Amino acid sequence: MEAFAAALVALVTIACSAAESPSAPCAICPPGAVGPAGHAAEGISAGIYPGMQPDPLANGLGVSSCGTVSCHGGPKAGNHDVQSFAFTIWMNDDPHSRAYEVLHEPRSQRMARLLGLGEAHRARECLACHSMQNESRGPLPPEVLADGVGCGSCHGDSTQWQQIHYLPDWKRLSIAEREALGYRDLGSVTTRVNNCIPCHVGDASQEVNHDLIAAGHPRLSFEFAAYQRLWPRHWTPSGKVESQPDFTARSWALGQAATLEAVAKLLEVRAERATADLAAERPHRWPEFAEFDCYACHKALGPRSYTAAHAGGFQNPFPGQPSWQPWYVSASRLLDVAAATTTVPGTRAVGASAVDIRRVLEPDWSVTDKERLDRVLLEARGLARAARQATRELESRDRIVLDVSHDRLDALVADAPPEWRFWDAAVQTLLVMEAAGGGPARIGVWRSDQRQAATADTRQALEELRDSLRFPPGADSPQGFSPVRFNRDRVAVPLPEAVRP
Amino acid sequence: MSLNIRIASQLIAAFIVCLGTAGVGRAAPPGDEPLPRPAFRYTGADLCVKCHRSEQGEWCDVATTAAWRHDAHSRSHEALSSDNERTRAMEVALGIKAAATASCVACHTHPVDEPAVDEETNVLHAGISCETCHGAGSGYLDPHMQKSWRFLSSAEKEAFGMHDLRNPVAKAKNCLSCHLGEVATNRIITHQMYAAGHPPLPAFEMEAFGAGMGRHWKRVWEKSPQIQEQAAKAGYETEGACELSRSLVGSLVALQESVHLARDYAAAAETNAKDRPWPELAVYDCQACHHVLAVPSWRQEAGYGQLVPGRPSLVRWPRRLAAVAFEQAGMATDVDALLSPVVGVLNSRPFGTADGLRRVAEDSGREIDQAIEALVRWRRDETLADRERVAIEQILASGQNVGDFESARLLAWGLIHGLSSNADWPEDVRARKIAELTALLALEFPTPAYPSPPAQEKPFWQTSLAAAPATDIGRVRAAFELPSAARKPAPTVIEVIPTPR
C-alpha cells in the first residue's frame, strides 16, 4: 500500500514536471486551469482539481503525511540530500518530536493534576505548545496530536499545500502566495525566531507562568542563536539564510530583538489581565513571579547562598526586592552595546527601556494596584516599541557585526555593576561572545576568516567559561556562582582578531 | 500584719490599673495609635541579680544570674550596636540606626520609648533580661520577696505585673512575640530586614529553646513535695504535666499566633499603608520561596496541599506538631481544613489580600483553645506514660512523611522531649535516636546549657534552616523511624493481643 502511494506520488511529480511554464497546461490539471498560479489563487478548496479529494484529516495533517520514505523520511546513511531525510532527523534527533510524549510522563501528569487541568495530554494549556494544536485550528485528531511539535508547527498547517508543494510550479509561487495557503516561510532570521517565540517566550494564548513552574515545569530562558545552534538541523544550509556571512551574529541580534519585543508584550498581557481582574475583583496572578529573577528567592538561607556571593552589597535592588528578568535585561544591554543598535530620535534604546521597566517594577514589587499596573503597561509598551525599532534597524543592515571586545564588555559592566551580578547576565554574555564568532565549531556556517581567527585556544577558553557556568550536580540553580570570577575568566578568553572591529 | 495590708493595698491598686488597661495589650489598634504603655516600670536586672545569683533557697535556688549570663538573651542588645559587623551592614543597607529603630529595639531590649525606663538602672544595656519576660518589676519587686507571695495565684501576681511563665500558653505567647513577631508591640521583623542581613527566624519550640538558652528555673514537679503542694494550692497546675505536653501546647499557640501575625499585619496595612505596606513577606513561610532549586527537589515532593502551586503560604512549621496536639486532645480537627479559609485568600492572588486575611483569620481560635484546654489537663499520674507513648508514636508517623525541614525540626524537638522522659524504649535506643535527630536537623543550641562553660561561639542563627542538610528529606524521614519492636513490653494497662501462630 505504501509502495503504491509512493509510486503515485512519483507519478504525479513526473506528470507535473512536464509543465514547463506557468502558462503551460498541467498534466493533472483540468483543462482551463493555468498551472501553479491557479493552484495558489483558487486553492484545493475551490475544487478545481477533481482528482484531489479533500483530505480526510482536513483539519491538520500530521507528520506522517510528510515523512514517507520517498519524501522527507528517507534514510540518513549515505544520503546527501538533507531534505529527503528531514523527517528522519526530526524523528530521531529533535526533541520537538517528543513534545507530546512528555505529557504522558508522571511529572507532566502531576503538574496537570496540581493545577486542576485534568490530564496533561488533553489540557488546552499544555497542548498549546506540546502539540500542533492551537487556538486557530479546530480540535486535532489524536494521531496528529501525538506528533508533538511536528512539521506543521513551523512550516504551517499543510492542509492546503501538502499536495502541491512538491510540484515544480510551487517554486514559482511568491512567498505571499504560498503563505496564503497556510505555508510559513522560514527564509529569514526574523521569521524563524518569530516562529519559536510563541512557545519559547510565550504570548497571550500560551505562557509558562510561576504556577506552572512551581508545579514542575522548567523555566523558560530563550536565546535564539544558541537554540538554533543546538538544534539538529534538518535542511541544507546552502542558499539559505545560513549562507549569509553574518549568519550567527544576525541570528543573535535579530533573535534578541524579537525576543525582547515578545517579553515586553507578555508583560503587557499579564499586566492588562491583572488590571482587568483587579477591577472586577477576580482572583489574579499579580505579581507574576515568573517575571523576576528565579534565584532572588530560590536560594538557601545562609552565608553561602547565591546572594551572599553578590559582591557589592544590596544597594540595587533594595534589600528583599527581586530583579525583573535579569536574563532579558542583560540581553537588552548587550544588544545595544554589541550590535550598536541606534535609536530613532525621540525614543529610548532597548537597554534603557528595559531598565525603565526595572525601575517601575522592582520597588514595592509585590504591591498590586491600578496605578502601578498602568505604569508597568506604559513601560512594557515602551520596550516593545524600542525592540521593534531595533529589529527594523538591524534588518536594514547589509551585515551585522557584533563587537564583544573585552573593552566594550568591561565598560558595560562598569556602567551598571549590579546588573552584571546575575548568573543570567553571565550566561547571556557568554552567548554573545559565542555568537560573535569565537564560538564552538558547531556554530552555524562560518566565514572562512572567522574560522581561522577563532583559534583552538579561543574555542577551548569559551568552552571552559561555559563549563564554569554549569549548575553543580544535583542543583537546578547556580549555587556558588561568582560574578567576579566570571569576569576574570571572561577577560582571559583570547578573542580572535576578526571579531575586533 | 502591716506587710500583708501593704500587699493587699497594692493588689487592689494593681487590679484597678489592670481593669483600666484591660485588653489593650491584645487588641491594640494598629497604626498611629501609641503603643500600649505598661502599667509598671522597669526596675532593671541589676536589682534582680542581687538575690537571684546564688543558692538562696527553694524559690530562687538556681544560680539564675549565672545561667542568664550564659544565655544569648543577655547579649541581644549588642546586636543594636554599630560595632557589630552585621548590624553595620544592615544599617547601611536599610539607611537606619538600629538603636533608634523601634522594631529593632522592640526585640533586642526593652522598648526605648517607654518613659518609665530609668537610665540609671541600665535597663537598655541588659538585652532581653529578667523583666522582658517576667514583667516590669516596679509592681512586684518588693511584694515578691515576701513569704506570702508564693500563695498568690497567677492572676493575683499578674496584678502586680509579674507574668505567669509556668503557663505554657502565656510562655509561648511571650516567646513568640519576638521569635515569630507581634504587631501590637512593634515586634515586627520585615522581609527587608531579613534581606539586609538579619538571620532567619527558625522554627520555634519553646521548651527546646528554653533548655537551649540555659534553663534558670525548675519545674514545679522538680521541687520539693512541700512546695509542690503550695503551688497546687496557688493554682499552678496550668504548668502542664511534662515537656512534651507543653511542647504540644506551644505548637498550637504558634499555629494560632502565625495566623494572628498575618491578620494583625493585614489590619495595620489597611489603616497605615505607608508604614506597613502590604504584603509584608515576613509573615509568610520562608521556605515557600527560599529553597534551593535542586533535582530531585524536596519542595516539589512536599506538594502544595490546597494551595495553588507557587503561591506562598503562611508560616508552616507549627502545623505538623499541632496536628499531633489535636489528636492528643482527642479532636478530629484537620489542620489543613482549619486553615482552608486562609488558604482560599492566599489562592486568590499571590500573598492574598489584606482585607481577606484580616477577615478570615479568626476562625481557627475556638478549636485551638479547646485542644489546649485538654492538653493542659494532663497530670503526672499513671496515665502520663501512656499518653506520652501514643504522642511519640504519632510524631514518629508524622515525621515519616514530613515535607519540609522546619516542620521536621519542630516534630523532632517534640519527640526528644517525649523520649527524654518516657522510659518505654530502652535508654540506649532513646539516646541514639536523640543524637541522630540532633545531628541531622541541627537541633543543638550554640549556647551550652548552664552550667557547661561557654564553648566556641557559634551564631544563634546557625540553628536555623541554613544549617540543615537542605536537600535530603528522605534521610530526615528515615530518622523518624523507631520500630515499636524496640519498645519495652507494654505495661499491663494495655491489653496485649497474642499474635496468631
Side-chain angles (χ1 to χ4, degrees):
Chain A
M1 187 64 198
E2 237 174 310
F4 173 72
L8 191 68
V9 167
L11 191 70
V12 169
T13 310
I14 295 161
C16 269
S17 308
E20 287 293 306
S21 73
S23 55
C26 170
I28 62 160
C29 295
V34 280
H39 291 247
E42 299 301 320
I44 294 164
S45 54
I48 57 168
Y49 301 103
M52 288 184 182
Q53 296 301 314
D55 195 279
L57 302 177
N59 197 15
L61 290 176
V63 293
S64 54
S65 63
C66 317
T68 51
V69 175
S70 58
C71 294
H72 297 295
K76 260 203 284 192
N79 197 340
H80 296 289
D81 179 12
V82 182
Q83 200 164 302
S84 74
F85 57 88
F87 169 82
T88 316
I89 293 176
W90 172 86
M91 189 69 176
N92 292 342
D93 306 324
D94 191 336
H96 289 105
S97 64
R98 255 76 84 198
Y100 173 81
E101 209 175 296
V102 83
L103 297 180
H104 286 273
E105 284 182 6
R107 173 158 80 150
S108 311
Q109 296 290 339
R110 178 175 181 262
M111 281 168 56
R113 204 172 54 244
L114 284 172
L115 295 168
L117 299 176
E119 289 175 300
H121 62 280
R122 294 187 214 279
R124 189 208 69 81
E125 287 82 352
C126 307
L127 290 174
C129 284
H130 285 266
S131 76
M132 287 186 271
Q133 182 75 66
N134 62 42
E135 303 242 298
S136 61
R137 308 172 87 171
L140 291 177
E143 64 273 19
V144 176
L145 281 183
D147 292 340
V149 177
C151 316
S153 299
C154 303
H155 295 286
D157 180 358
S158 63
T159 316
Q160 290 194 63
W161 54 266
Q162 193 263 344
Q163 284 166 296
I164 54 172
H165 80 288
Y166 44 76
L167 305 177
D169 296 340
W170 176 257
K171 286 210 187 314
R172 299 194 187 95
L173 296 185
S174 70
I175 288 175
E177 284 169 329
R178 292 178 188 184
E179 294 203 323
L181 293 172
Y183 175 82
R184 221 176 287 155
D185 177 64
L186 299 171
S188 73
V189 167
T190 309
T191 52
R192 283 190 192 173
V193 67
N194 283 330
N195 208 42
C196 308
I197 276 173
C199 288
H200 285 280
V201 177
D203 63 18
S205 60
Q206 55 214 13
E207 57 167 331
V208 174
N209 56 41
H210 187 261
D211 291 349
L212 196 54
I213 297 172
H217 196 284
R219 142 199 197 188
L220 300 187
S221 43
F222 186 59
E223 197 278 282
F224 173 69
Y227 273 50
Q228 182 176 244
R229 188 168 66 241
L230 293 167
W231 185 33
R233 193 174 59 216
H234 60 252
W235 62 93
T236 321
S238 65
K240 305 256 165 53
V241 62
E242 276 88 345
S243 59
Q244 293 175 4
D246 62 346
F247 170 63
T248 47
R250 184 167 285 270
S251 294
W252 182 86
L254 284 168
Q256 293 287 31
T259 301
L260 285 165
E261 187 185 340
V263 165
K265 281 182 174 166
L266 184 58
L267 176 62
E268 206 180 310
V269 165
R270 285 167 170 169
E272 270 169 356
R273 274 187 200 147
T275 309
D277 290 339
L278 204 60
E281 294 185 349
R282 281 193 298 259
H284 61 84
R285 217 181 269 136
W286 193 272
E288 172 52 65
F289 299 141
E291 288 286 337
F292 297 91
D293 177 21
C294 305
Y295 316 119
C297 304
H298 294 306
K299 61 192 177 191
L301 300 175
R304 286 174 302 282
S305 78
Y306 172 66
T307 307
H310 287 187
F314 293 97
Q315 285 78 13
N316 187 4
F318 202 73
Q321 284 175 7
S323 228
W324 178 70
Q325 299 277 29
W327 179 263
Y328 293 117
V329 172
S330 53
S332 70
R333 308 262 302 163
L334 287 165
L335 185 64
D336 279 345
V337 169
T341 43
T342 52
T343 311
V344 174
T347 61
R348 282 172 82 71
V350 184
S353 298
V355 172
D356 286 345
I357 296 183
R358 287 194 51 188
R359 291 216 178 93
V360 171
L361 209 48
E362 287 171 17
D364 304 324
W365 66 281
S366 53
V367 176
T368 311
D369 58 48
K370 184 163 185 317
E371 190 195 338
R372 265 178 61 76
L373 288 167
D374 284 347
R375 276 161 60 216
V376 170
L377 270 175
L378 196 70
E379 297 301 345
R381 286 179 187 137
L383 176 61
R385 200 165 46 238
R388 206 156 41 238
Q389 231 168 58
T391 300
R392 242 178 269 136
E393 194 265 319
L394 287 162
E395 274 182 329
S396 71
R397 293 193 204 174
D398 293 335
R399 188 172 158 214
I400 295 174
V401 178
L402 298 180
D403 179 2
V404 292
S405 58
H406 290 307
D407 293 348
R408 269 273 155 125
L409 294 176
D410 287 347
L412 190 59
V413 174
D415 179 39
E419 275 168 32
W420 302 96
R421 291 189 321 231
F422 301 97
W423 173 87
D424 300 58
V427 177
Q428 287 280 16
T429 307
L430 171 83
L431 293 177
V432 70
M433 288 167 78
E434 289 185 352
R442 286 184 61 208
I443 211 164
V445 173
W446 288 35
R447 272 163 51 230
S448 56
D449 59 332
Q450 266 191 12
R451 193 177 297 131
Q452 279 158 15
T455 59
D457 282 354
T458 305
R459 267 182 242 149
Q460 199 195 332
L462 275 171
E463 281 297 320
E464 280 168 16
L465 197 58
R466 177 177 270 267
D467 280 341
S468 75
L469 291 170
R470 278 184 215 288
F471 295 164
D476 206 9
S477 60
Q479 293 151 41
F481 167 74
S482 152
V484 176
R485 202 180 56 218
F486 171 77
N487 272 316
R488 202 182 52 223
D489 294 349
R490 166 178 65 77
V491 175
V493 175
L495 287 181
E497 289 299 323
V499 299
R500 291 192 184 144
Chain B
M1 186 63 194
S2 65
L3 191 69
N4 282 345
I5 290 168
R6 201 173 128 205
I7 290 183
S9 63
Q10 285 192 359
L11 256 174
I12 291 161
F15 267 130
I16 290 165
V17 172
C18 261
L19 287 172
T21 57
V24 170
R26 279 175 64 87
D32 295 330
E33 304 291 326
L35 292 175
R37 302 230 178 272
F40 299 101
R41 215 165 42 79
Y42 290 108
T43 55
D46 293 6
L47 286 178
C48 313
V49 163
K50 283 180 181 160
C51 297
H52 292 278
R53 65 174 174 229
S54 57
E55 312 253 334
Q56 294 261 334
E58 279 281 18
W59 287 91
C60 40
D61 57 357
V62 187
T64 309
T65 308
W68 179 65
R69 287 289 173 215
H70 281 257
D71 184 340
H73 287 113
S74 70
R75 297 190 302 277
S76 59
H77 63 293
E78 289 169 12
L80 296 174
S81 157
S82 305
D83 294 342
N84 184 306
E85 201 182 324
R86 180 187 296 275
T87 307
R88 200 166 53 247
M90 284 184 66
E91 287 178 333
V92 170
L94 297 170
I96 56 160
K97 264 315 209 198
T101 303
S103 51
C104 302
V105 171
C107 283
H108 283 275
T109 182
H110 302 304
V112 273
D113 63 350
E114 283 173 14
V117 168
D118 185 348
E119 289 282 330
E120 282 173 34
T121 57
N122 243 359
V123 165
L124 269 182
H125 304 289
I128 299 302
S129 63
C130 319
E131 292 170 283
T132 322
C133 302
H134 293 279
S138 65
Y140 66 79
L141 181 67
D142 288 341
H144 92 290
M145 288 186 252
Q146 311 307 323
K147 262 205 156 138
S148 47
W149 178 257
R150 71 180 57 168
F151 299 106
L152 298 184
S153 72
S154 65
E156 286 164 334
K157 288 178 181 172
E158 191 71 53
F160 284 94
M162 183 185 268
H163 303 323
D164 176 12
L165 299 175
R166 296 207 176 273
N167 180 327
V169 178
K171 182 177 171 183
K173 283 190 177 166
N174 182 67
C175 299
L176 288 166
S177 69
C178 285
H179 284 273
L180 182 69
E182 188 176 72
V183 177
T185 49
N186 226 342
R187 286 168 174 163
I188 295 283
I189 179 159
T190 63
H191 184 254
Q192 217 167 60
M193 288 155 71
Y194 280 130
H198 194 287
L201 293 187
F204 183 81
E205 199 288 293
M206 64 172 169
E207 296 311 314
F209 273 64
M213 75 185 192
R215 195 152 71 117
H216 60 254
W217 63 89
K218 274 187 178 177
R219 296 292 183 211
V220 167
W221 66 75
E222 292 166 344
K223 300 195 181 215
S224 70
Q226 185 203 353
I227 299 240
Q228 286 189 41
E229 200 180 308
Q230 289 171 349
K233 277 186 201 152
Y236 275 98
E237 284 145 347
T238 55
E239 179 165 21
C242 60
E243 308 279 346
L244 175 56
S245 73
R246 289 176 63 86
S247 179
L248 292 175
V249 171
S251 71
L252 290 169
V253 177
L255 182 70
Q256 178 84 309
E257 292 302 298
S258 67
V259 176
H260 285 176
L261 177 65
R263 173 200 66 186
D264 295 347
Y265 196 94
E270 290 211 313
T271 52
N272 180 11
K274 193 179 140 288
D275 294 334
R276 296 264 176 258
W278 182 265
E280 172 45 59
L281 274 51
V283 307
Y284 301 87
D285 184 26
C286 302
Q287 288 187 311
C289 304
H290 294 305
H291 54 86
V292 167
L293 300 177
V295 189
S297 156
W298 66 263
R299 181 67 195 87
Q300 282 284 317
E301 224 185 292
Y304 298 93
Q306 299 163 313
L307 267 181
V308 172
R311 307 295 175 84
S313 66
L314 297 185
V315 168
R316 291 191 66 83
W317 51 257
R319 296 191 193 172
R320 278 191 175 256
L321 197 57
V324 174
F326 278 121
E327 281 188 64
Q328 283 297 305
M331 294 168 65
T333 305
D334 176 64
V335 176
D336 281 341
L338 192 68
L339 296 178
S340 68
V342 176
V343 173
V345 176
L346 294 175
N347 279 346
S348 70
R349 55 152 288 191
F351 304 117
T353 57
D355 179 52
L357 278 178
R358 185 177 54 72
R359 279 187 287 135
V360 301
E362 205 50 83
D363 301 345
S364 54
R366 200 181 44 80
E367 286 182 63
I368 289 178
D369 289 345
Q370 205 181 324
I372 289 173
E373 210 177 293
L375 289 163
V376 171
R377 276 202 302 269
W378 282 22
R379 288 288 169 264
R380 295 184 69 78
D381 54 24
E382 65 282 358
T383 62
L384 184 62
D386 288 349
R387 290 183 195 279
E388 277 184 335
R389 183 173 52 250
V390 177
I392 288 170
E393 304 259 15
Q394 280 167 351
I395 291 174
L396 289 168
S398 182
Q400 282 168 43
N401 62 14
V402 70
D404 69 286
F405 291 87
E406 292 298 278
S407 298
R409 301 174 92 220
L410 205 66
L411 284 175
W413 274 314
L415 180 65
I416 288 172
H417 295 317
L419 290 179
S420 303
S421 65
N422 189 289
D424 285 355
W425 282 266
E427 198 172 342
D428 60 322
V429 172
R430 292 188 282 150
R432 263 204 311 277
K433 184 53 56 185
I434 291 172
E436 183 189 357
L437 285 167
T438 303
L440 189 62
L441 287 165
L443 302 182
E444 84 279 31
F445 282 82
T447 314
Y450 180 80
S452 321
Q456 78 288 2
E457 281 291 310
K458 192 169 149 197
F460 153 78
W461 63 296
Q462 289 210 353
T463 63
S464 75
L465 27 149
T471 51
D472 198 352
I473 196 76
R475 267 181 73 199
V476 173
R477 290 178 183 160
F480 280 95
E481 279 168 24
L482 185 61
S484 297
R487 214 170 69 199
K488 289 176 182 172
T492 47
V493 285
I494 292 180
E495 200 185 330
V496 180
I497 302 163
T499 325
R501 299 241 167 212

